[in-house]
Amino acid sequence: HYTLWQAGIHHRDVSCENLIYYMTDEGVMGVLNDFDLASVRGDGQSGNERTGTIPFMVLELLREDGQSGRVEHIYRHNLELFIWVFIWIC
């Protein structure tokens, strides 16, 4: 995920349905899939444009500033998405 973010690809829809895993000889390998809501740095998207799955959305983007597009999507937002997924799984 971080490698994609550094390359300018922002997934923006981390959810249980978009995470898969499989076993390898070294252990468990996790994969983030379904990039239909992803954005590319510099494409002009911000705020609630093309966000994601409601139960896993970032709180800051659900507030008035986020809904009006005045909040820049930053890496911390995607980390929050992972936290919501982990809470949901538990």
Side-chain angles (χ1 to χ4, degrees):
H1 179 265
Y2 184 68
T3 302
L4 291 172
W5 184 271
Q6 285 183 311
I9 300 169
H10 303 169
H11 190 277
R12 301 171 66 110
D13 188 22
V14 177
S15 67
C16 293
E17 293 79 17
N18 294 339
L19 294 172
I20 59 174
Y21 72 93
Y22 61 93
M23 301 297 291
T24 67
D25 291 337
E26 290 85 32
V28 178
M29 173 65 73
V31 178
L32 181 60
N33 63 9
D34 193 4
F35 284 79
D36 61 333
L37 297 179
S39 63
V40 178
R41 185 179 333 140
D43 68 359
Q45 294 180 8
S46 65
N48 72 335
E49 300 166 354
R50 303 183 71 189
T51 51
T53 307
I54 295 286
F56 308 108
M57 287 179 64
V58 175
L59 292 176
E60 187 174 10
L61 297 179
L62 291 173
R63 294 189 180 113
E64 186 176 338
D65 283 348
Q67 290 295 300
S68 64
R70 294 189 303 259
V71 176
E72 178 185 358
H73 190 86
I74 57 177
Y75 189 72
R76 176 181 56 80
H77 293 145
N78 276 9
L79 293 178
E80 183 179 328
L81 298 175
F82 279 107
I83 291 169
W84 290 125
V85 169
F86 295 146
I87 290 171
W88 185 274
I89 291 170
C90 292

